[in-house]
Amino acid sequence: MSSPFRLVTRDELVMLLNVDTWRTRGSRERIPRRDVAMVALVALCGVRPNELQRLRLSDWRKDGRDIVSIPAPPARRSLYASREIPLLRTAGLVLGPYLALHPRKHDPNAPLFVAADGAPLTVASPSYDKHRTVGRKTGLGTSLLVILRASYEEWVRSAQTTDGSEAILL
């Protein structure tokens, strides 16, 4: 089954993983790195866009290999368990510099992704508008994170493995 979205090419993904793509005049260094980290988790690891807002700093672990533990949705904890996703090396390299600049990096219960004012990043946050703007500027469309997730699924499916995206993208 193919995706209803136009898929992101390898060159487009490389562009989206470049911090300069996300820089705006006057933006703090942490904000473009946050946006690149979000792209990396969705496009390289298959984290769903709605899962990004549930992640906490303690959900990222280094156990020989970087792992992100995605908590189950609060309303569905009785139906769903949390899931663990091994990070591709590239995603870990992108996430590290963002975490080094995180304003609450010593608080394991802090949200992984925060807005410029330090508040938890949610789908309703203005920061999500930046993904729409970059999506428009690059011609990828306003549902950039959804398109990246669909692309990830297609890359894995085409590689016929559960972690084939690394071979295709690197």
Side-chain angles (χ1 to χ4, degrees):
M1 181 177 148
S2 64
S3 170
F5 297 103
R6 176 178 104 52
L7 301 179
V8 175
T9 66
R10 181 184 185 278
D11 291 339
E12 290 167 334
L13 181 56
V14 168
M15 176 201 52
L16 291 171
L17 291 172
N18 183 339
V19 173
D20 291 332
T21 302
W22 298 90
R23 279 199 172 89
T24 57
R25 217 163 102 205
S27 69
R28 297 183 191 133
E29 184 61 21
R30 175 175 51 87
I31 302 306
R33 292 195 184 280
R34 177 205 62 206
D35 295 333
V36 169
M38 291 170 68
V39 166
L41 287 178
V42 172
L44 298 176
C45 303
V47 175
R48 295 177 185 102
N50 65 339
E51 294 171 333
L52 292 172
Q53 65 188 353
R54 290 198 310 269
L55 292 174
R56 302 270 170 235
L57 287 175
S58 60
D59 293 329
W60 183 57
R61 298 189 321 272
K62 289 178 130 345
D63 294 334
R65 182 168 186 189
D66 295 344
I67 295 173
V68 171
S69 180
I70 312 250
R76 299 186 176 191
R77 287 218 168 103
S78 62
L79 300 172
Y80 299 102
S82 62
R83 62 191 183 107
E84 292 192 341
I85 300 174
L87 293 185
L88 298 178
R89 189 176 57 83
T90 303
L93 292 173
V94 168
L95 197 54
Y98 165 67
L99 292 175
L101 299 171
H102 196 286
R104 294 170 53 194
K105 62 184 164 194
H106 300 294
D107 177 4
N109 294 316
L112 182 58
F113 295 109
V114 294
D117 63 1
L121 191 67
T122 66
V123 177
S125 299
S127 298
Y128 265 79
D129 286 338
K130 186 186 279 186
H131 290 92
R132 291 181 192 91
T133 302
V134 168
R136 263 194 300 276
K137 278 191 340 189
T138 58
L140 294 172
T142 57
S143 299
L144 182 58
L145 293 175
V146 174
I147 291 167
L148 288 169
R149 170 66 183 181
S151 296
Y152 168 82
E153 290 175 358
E154 189 61 35
W155 293 325
V156 170
R157 195 172 8 268
S158 68
Q160 309 234 335
T161 67
T162 57
D163 197 11
S165 57
E166 188 165 23
I168 293 171
L169 294 172
L170 302 177

